[in-house]
Amino acid sequence: MSLMSKLRASDETVARPAPSRRRTGSDQRRPRKSTGLSPLGQGLVLGVCIGMTFALGIGVIGFLVTRPTAAVPAVARQPVADQGAKPPPAASIDVTATHLGDLQVRIEAEVSAPGSYDPITKAQVVAWADMVAMPMAHRQGPIPMTEVPGRPGTYQAFTKVAMVGEYNITVETLQPMPSRADRRLDVGEVAKG
């Protein structure tokens, strides 16, 4: 290096100010240490604490204001008339189901009074047909049944079932005496000949 370049280098170093050190006196603050929670976290904790305090206060006020009531025994809740009462008598139903061919079925029911077996006339009677192998898939009903002329207490209905198979035929009387009876019927061929 030439002498000139050395002189220039020394002039540059002299012209630059020396780095200063920080003062640690009382006039300068030190940075605060973090508490671990952000302002959002602090607000959330404060909100939860205030909410729980209000909820506890409402619960205490509700407890002090309401009056306790004694529990009523289960037996006392039932009406006096129902205790020991017999269920209403049910009608007696004799069901006959016949496969007529081509999936046609005739349902007959003889409805009579319990005990005396006198025929019940002008009753409201319905029938249901439900396939045993696929319950509720091919259910038919309610099928209204009409009283057969000249045969008091005998009701009849015709229906066409969906397919060959075993069916559960249910007959229900709705009025004047509710009752129910079932009969199984095997529909084994499409055409009867």
Side-chain angles (χ1 to χ4, degrees):
M1 255 178 58
S2 70
L3 183 59
M4 262 324 231
S5 61
K6 284 185 184 178
L7 283 176
R8 278 189 200 154
S10 66
D11 286 341
E12 288 175 6
T13 55
V14 171
R16 273 194 228 160
S20 64
R21 293 189 175 222
R22 285 188 184 185
R23 288 193 249 168
T24 58
S26 62
D27 62 335
Q28 189 170 358
R29 293 185 174 179
R30 289 187 179 175
R32 279 197 268 170
K33 292 184 180 179
S34 175
T35 59
L37 287 176
S38 67
L40 177 65
Q42 290 174 353
L44 182 65
V45 169
L46 182 63
V48 168
C49 291
I50 291 172
M52 291 178 71
T53 303
F54 279 130
L56 180 63
I58 291 170
V60 168
I61 291 170
F63 177 75
L64 294 175
V65 171
T66 58
R67 290 187 179 176
T69 57
V72 179
V75 177
R77 288 186 206 154
Q78 296 176 353
V80 178
D82 286 348
Q83 294 176 356
K86 294 180 183 178
S92 176
I93 303 173
D94 184 28
V95 179
T96 305
T98 309
H99 176 224
L100 302 174
D102 280 338
L103 303 176
Q104 292 286 330
V105 175
R106 179 180 60 221
I107 305 167
E108 279 190 8
E110 292 180 17
V111 182
S112 57
S116 67
Y117 296 104
D118 291 332
I120 297 177
T121 58
K122 299 180 183 174
Q124 186 180 2
V125 183
V126 294
W128 303 82
D130 195 11
M131 191 169 190
V132 175
M134 292 184 272
M136 303 301 281
H138 297 291
R139 184 174 181 154
Q140 295 177 348
I143 304 163
M145 297 183 73
T146 57
E147 195 166 5
V148 178
R151 294 174 57 193
T154 303
Y155 297 85
Q156 170 176 280
F158 294 92
T159 187
K160 186 171 185 173
V161 293
M163 61 185 357
V164 173
E166 186 177 19
Y167 286 84
N168 185 41
I169 308 296
T170 303
V171 175
E172 288 184 276
T173 58
L174 306 173
Q175 294 291 333
M177 294 180 185
S179 188
R180 178 184 178 141
D182 294 297
R183 174 75 59 175
R184 291 282 173 106
L185 173 67
D186 188 24
V187 177
E189 55 192 36
V190 175
K192 197 169 187 177

